[in-house]
Amino acid sequence: ASSDYPLRDVYKRQLIGGGRGPAYPYISLAKAVDRLDLLRQNNMGRVTAPPLAFYKALGFQGETGPSRQTLSALNQYGLIEYVGRGDNRNVRLSSLAQRIIFDKIPNSVERAEALREAALLPIIFGKLWEAGYRPPLAPDYVLETFLVRDNGYNEASALNVVNVYK
């Protein structure tokens, strides 16, 4: 049966478990940095703690879709690290995140470099950058075509990726 539809098999291999499209950050880097600052304000800048503690410090009631998506976005930007596995998994801010949130020097070159590094860590953002989609950006429909046709995103997700990438 699957050999009758070889293109379907190729498409399935590009998807992430359960038929979801490729991953992308739920929030922009600017919002992710705002969340880092919130974590710093709540004394989570240098601690290792269970995910629930991070959710609460971010203002969520607990583990919800948005709280998990936010932590996932921070992970995709390289701003958090997971320590351990399963029920013993903890979270901490990465050294990249610490370089961003603890650098208070106006117009800091080091902070700007850390932000650029974080911006390009999500796989799809690195692909967009390498494909030449840099400021000034091409029209949205050009980016959407690249995402849908060449990278396996559905149209709704492509719109979200474009908005977050901008």
Side-chain angles (χ1 to χ4, degrees), residues 99 103 105 107-115:
R99 289 187 352 238
D103 189 335
I105 300 170
N107 302 316
S108 168
V109 172
E110 291 85 2
R111 186 172 193 270
E113 288 173 359
L115 287 167

Side-chain angles (χ1 to χ4, degrees), residues 2-34:
S2 66
S3 61
D4 297 332
Y5 302 99
L7 291 178
R8 183 185 299 164
D9 292 342
V10 170
Y11 179 69
K12 282 182 183 176
R13 283 195 298 273
Q14 292 178 351
L15 297 177
I16 296 171
R20 292 182 297 156
Y24 63 93
Y26 169 71
I27 57 176
S28 68
L29 179 59
K31 287 182 182 176
V33 171
D34 288 344

Side-chain angles (χ1 to χ4, degrees), residues 134-164:
R134 302 171 184 189
L137 286 175
D140 289 0
Y141 62 84
V142 173
L143 298 172
E144 291 167 27
T145 298
F146 175 77
L147 293 166
V148 173
R149 185 189 63 203
D150 302 336
N151 288 280
Y153 287 87
N154 66 45
E155 292 178 69
S157 293
L159 289 171
N160 290 333
V161 172
V162 169
N163 288 329
V164 172

Side-chain angles (χ1 to χ4, degrees), residues 88-145:
N88 296 320
R89 183 175 77 161
N90 287 310
V91 180
R92 68 177 171 219
L93 295 187
S94 68
S95 62
L96 178 61
Q98 291 180 9
R99 289 187 352 238
I100 293 169
I101 64 169
F102 293 124
D103 189 335
K104 302 299 181 191
I105 300 170
N107 302 316
S108 168
V109 172
E110 291 85 2
R111 186 172 193 270
E113 288 173 359
L115 287 167
R116 183 178 187 278
E117 181 181 338
L120 297 177
L121 276 176
I123 293 169
I124 192 56
F125 294 169
K127 284 183 178 183
L128 284 161
W129 189 263
E130 289 299 316
Y133 297 114
R134 302 171 184 189
L137 286 175
D140 289 0
Y141 62 84
V142 173
L143 298 172
E144 291 167 27
T145 298

Side-chain angles (χ1 to χ4, degrees), residues 44-50 53-54 81-83 89-93:
M44 300 296 285
R46 297 189 193 272
V47 301
T48 301
F54 275 78
E81 300 170 339
Y82 292 106
V83 180
R89 183 175 77 161
N90 287 310
V91 180
R92 68 177 171 219
L93 295 187

